[in-house]
Amino acid sequence: MTLKRVCVFCGSSPGRSPEYARAATEMGALLARRRIGLVFGGGRVGMMGKLAQAALEGGGEVIGVIPRFLHEKRVAFAGLSDLRVVGTMHERKALMAALADGFVALPGGLGTLEETFEMLTWAQLGMHGKPCGLLDVAGFFAPLLRFLDHVTEQGFIDDAHRGMVLSAGTPAELLERLERFEPVVADKAEWALGKMG
Ligand code: AMP
């Protein structure tokens, strides 16, 4: 699948290891170089700021999507040519999802995890067929990937849906996985009905 735009979810903090911010810069620069547009949360703080700055410096398309209440707190990235200010967090996520052909999570906190899991949830319900991957910088996501294996073993995630959670250690490898992704056809509702005794 050709990626025209990728939505990146990532921390509003830089995290403890400098490797995280480096990966955000690398991802932003790579997207610009590959002429893939960036859709992101519109913030200038933490990982988000590094990501957007690198994409802009590389001459890439950058679209920020931010809810009004955060915009008023002056955390938005100044100088974005395309900053969409929306009413609510839900509107923001819906617009980010609509604008992108794929989703990437870099290290981040609750916001990053929530946004990523919602995209995966929509995919397993067949609401979109867009790829979704985790950039496993310095093994950041390894405990989460192990937990997802555990949830799968315990019968709460279908193997096919577990397979939708792409991951790689470098931005280039992750984009390649996203591009190779074939939408999963297994229907979560049918899978759940099949489990009824
Ligand atoms: P977290 O991982 O908890 O730091 O949250 C980061 C995610 O939540 C980002 O992908 C954003 O969409 C959103 N977010 C949280 N804080 C901000 C902020 N200060 N400015 C813009 N977006 C934010």
Side-chain angles (χ1 to χ4, degrees):
M1 132 188 294
T2 312
L3 297 170
K4 255 185 74 199
R5 283 197 200 118
V6 165
C7 173
V8 178
F9 302 122
C10 61
S12 52
S13 313
R16 216 162 255 169
S17 164
E19 285 189 62
Y20 304 147
R22 260 203 303 275
T25 298
E26 207 185 308
M27 178 57 91
L30 179 66
L31 289 173
R33 216 164 43 242
R34 299 270 319 268
R35 295 282 162 250
I36 299 172
L38 165 68
V39 179
F40 83 117
R44 65 182 162 87
V45 286
M47 299 278 287
M48 264 187 285
K50 299 282 181 207
L51 169 80
Q53 191 181 337
L56 284 173
E57 282 173 7
E61 176 197 41
V62 179
I63 306 176
V65 186
I66 196 159
R68 190 158 295 111
F69 82 94
L70 279 179
H71 192 238
E72 284 165 1
K73 285 189 185 160
R74 303 182 186 283
V75 292
F77 197 104
L80 279 189
S81 57
D82 198 347
L83 182 69
R84 319 263 177 115
V85 182
V86 295
T88 66
M89 292 292 274
H90 286 112
E91 281 174 43
R92 174 205 230 179
K93 209 160 27 188
L95 181 57
M96 291 172 93
L99 287 171
D101 323 296
F103 309 98
V104 161
L106 307 188
L110 293 174
T112 301
L113 296 172
E114 182 272 328
E115 292 165 334
T116 307
F117 277 109
E118 182 143 12
M119 293 311 124
L120 286 165
T121 307
W122 292 355
Q124 77 172 0
L125 292 171
M127 291 165 64
H128 68 74
K130 301 175 184 180
C132 195
L134 310 178
L135 183 63
D136 191 22
V137 188
F140 176 81
F141 283 113
L144 180 66
L145 292 166
R146 275 201 302 278
F147 181 66
L148 290 176
D149 288 337
H150 169 71
V151 179
T152 307
E153 275 156 26
Q154 293 305 310
F156 291 104
I157 301 179
D158 184 359
D159 286 331
H161 295 142
R162 170 66 185 84
M164 291 183 336
V165 188
L166 309 176
S167 64
T170 66
E173 249 180 287
L174 189 59
L175 286 190
E176 198 186 311
R177 295 225 165 131
L178 258 62
E179 284 166 340
R180 281 208 314 256
F181 176 77
E182 302 278 345
V184 172
V185 285
D187 185 288
K188 171 81 182 177
E190 275 175 30
W191 183 72
L193 285 171
K195 297 242 157 202
M196 286 181 74

